[in-house]
Amino acid sequence: MILQVGTQAICNIITNNQIAIDFIWKIWMSNQQRGYIWSLILSKNILAAILGDIERLHGNEESKNFELGYTIFSELISFGYFKKLYTQIDDFSDKILISDHQTILLKFLDSKIHAYKGDFPDFIRQEELLFLVQQLQIVAKETISIILSVKETTTDLQAEKVTNTYTAIILLLQMLNELFVMDENHKHGIKKMLVDVNALSMVTDILGNLESIKLPPVEVENPLVGFNFLKRECVRLMGTLCYKDKDMQDKIREIGAIPLILCQFKIDDSNPYLREYATLTLRNLMENNVENQKLIEELQPQEIVESKELSEMGFKPELTPDGKVRIKRKE
């Protein structure tokens, strides 16, 4: 009863009082033990309800409810509750791979990581790192399965069934790529975790299967249709893994991934900066690696693919008898 009356009294004091709200929130949530109590007060059902409403509120610029919801989860993540939230927010994880609530949690974590200004996010501990890598392994397998189903059945992608998987693989790759770069001295062990789950082969499989299907033109309103950003994030991870690492450089060559990387030297509206990341990856692959340099030197162009941009300018590429590419004006 005392707790109920005290809580109600605080609510009455801070209602419509922005100064009081800011003060109470700062004092209360700055204490880790209080944050734990806060997480107990917010039951799973209440948290799930907030997450369910957040996507709808995001487009309402006049409402502060989205900001409040984000702040609640941001603080819980800061106190180390991301894994617990992600694994316990829903009761039907055995029926679907990624729920809507879990997708939103991934978006929140991605936002916090990319907004972090220090050396390495203090809210990302070893437990969270390992969990993210494990989720990448799980979601990558499902992503490959989806791409193969599109390739084999030649049917339209059923977006409502795979949207969360697509969103999850992009967010997981973005977060791990960003954290990998932050972990410059390998103090947090991200690289070892990725190597242990064979992440290189996973992203190579994804990239290879994407290259084997004809993707539709980029659609800003529906990025899933063209698997937007997925090639870029795969190439980015490959480049970071092989940076100053002879074993990784050799493995990329041995699994036949070098031609795949060379195929990414193109302008792709579905994957902004893909060519730039491919350039960096190729540079990392060849650094102090004679075998890779020799392989790339021996590669010969097999065919010319005419691009829309060149065609609109009145030009077309042509493969000469000596294996060189020449641009000529259309007749």
Side-chain angles (χ1 to χ4, degrees):
M1 177 62 73
I2 294 175
L3 178 61
Q4 180 179 353
V5 172
T7 304
Q8 186 62 55
I10 293 175
C11 289
N12 292 339
I13 293 172
I14 67 175
T15 298
N16 295 324
N17 187 334
Q18 189 61 46
I19 296 176
I21 291 173
D22 292 341
F23 174 78
I24 292 293
W25 183 263
K26 181 178 179 180
I27 296 299
W28 181 267
M29 293 305 293
S30 63
N31 183 284
Q32 186 168 0
Q33 188 171 1
R34 288 172 182 164
Y36 173 71
I37 296 172
W38 178 253
S39 70
L40 295 178
I41 294 173
L42 290 173
S43 70
K44 182 171 71 175
N45 291 337
I46 294 176
L47 290 171
I50 295 172
L51 284 174
D53 215 31
I54 276 178
E55 195 74 22
R56 178 183 64 83
L57 293 170
H58 185 263
N60 186 355
E61 297 180 357
E62 297 180 358
S63 174
K64 292 187 177 181
N65 292 338
F66 174 84
E67 183 179 350
L68 175 61
Y70 173 80
T71 303
I72 290 172
F73 284 99
S74 178
E75 292 298 324
L76 289 173
I77 291 172
S78 294
F79 291 129
Y81 291 107
F82 173 78
K83 180 182 177 181
K84 189 172 184 179
L85 285 168
Y86 189 87
T87 55
Q88 298 184 16
I89 196 68
D90 291 316
D91 294 324
F92 46 84
S93 58
D94 58 325
K95 298 179 182 178
I96 60 173
L97 184 64
I98 305 290
S99 71
D100 291 343
H101 294 154
Q102 289 171 325
T103 303
I104 296 172
L105 286 172
L106 286 174
K107 290 179 179 179
F108 284 165
L109 185 61
D110 179 65
S111 175
K112 281 182 69 69
I113 289 173
H114 282 83
Y116 190 77
K117 302 300 182 183
D119 294 332
F120 195 88
D122 50 9
F123 52 86
I124 298 292
R125 302 169 302 176
Q126 287 289 306
E127 184 181 3
E128 279 75 30
L129 276 177
L130 182 58
F131 181 70
L132 289 175
V133 172
Q134 291 170 342
Q135 289 305 304
L136 174 66
Q137 184 180 25
I138 295 169
V139 178
K141 290 179 180 178
E142 180 65 17
T143 301
I144 293 171
S145 176
I146 291 169
I147 297 171
L148 287 175
S149 68
V150 174
K151 177 182 176 181
E152 294 169 359
T153 62
T154 64
T155 57
D156 292 335
L157 195 64
Q158 296 181 339
E160 68 278 3
K161 294 184 177 181
V162 299
T163 297
N164 287 346
T165 302
Y166 163 75
T167 303
I169 190 66
I170 297 297
L171 291 171
L172 287 166
L173 283 170
Q174 283 183 172
M175 287 187 284
L176 288 170
N177 274 324
E178 189 70 17
L179 291 169
F180 198 167
V181 172
M182 291 179 176
D183 190 21
E184 185 176 358
N185 298 318
H186 306 302
K187 176 182 176 181
H188 299 275
I190 299 178
K191 184 170 185 176
K192 184 180 184 305
M193 294 179 190
L194 290 168
V195 171
D196 287 345
V197 299
N198 203 8
L200 179 59
S201 293
M202 282 191 292
V203 294
T204 301
D205 285 345
I206 292 174
L207 191 60
N209 283 299
L210 284 174
E211 281 297 313
S212 66
I213 61 176
K214 184 177 181 180
L215 297 174
V218 60
E219 292 187 21
V220 177
E221 299 298 327
N222 188 11
L224 170 62
V225 173
F227 295 97
N228 293 10
F229 316 114
L230 189 49
K231 287 184 179 181
R232 180 191 70 190
E233 295 304 321
C234 287
V235 171
R236 184 183 177 190
L237 184 59
M238 294 168 77
T240 312
L241 280 169
C242 71
Y243 178 65
K244 295 187 181 301
D245 189 323
K246 182 67 161 55
D247 291 338
M248 285 290 106
Q249 291 173 339
D250 291 342
K251 185 172 182 179
I252 288 179
R253 181 185 71 253
E254 291 163 2
I255 63 177
I258 290 181
L260 272 177
I261 295 169
L262 292 173
C263 286
Q264 311 313 312
F265 280 81
K266 56 190 175 184
I267 297 175
D268 185 344
D269 292 334
S270 300
N271 292 272
Y273 303 108
L274 173 62
R275 184 171 57 179
E276 287 76 9
Y277 279 118
T279 302
L280 183 59
T281 300
L282 189 64
R283 179 262 178 206
N284 292 346
L285 272 172
M286 293 192 299
E287 185 179 23
N288 299 323
N289 193 306
V290 177
E291 294 90 346
N292 285 352
Q293 295 172 11
K294 184 178 179 181
L295 175 63
I296 294 170
E297 184 180 5
E298 292 174 350
L299 289 174
Q300 296 293 328
Q302 300 297 314
E303 64 175 330
I304 293 294
V305 179
E306 186 171 346
S307 69
K308 178 182 176 182
E309 291 79 7
L310 276 177
S311 181
E312 289 176 349
M313 291 187 292
F315 294 96
K316 67 175 183 178
E318 181 180 78
L319 189 62
T320 62
D322 59 355
K324 295 181 179 180
V325 178
R326 181 176 63 184
I327 305 297
K328 62 180 294 185
R329 187 175 294 278
K330 287 185 176 181
E331 297 179 356

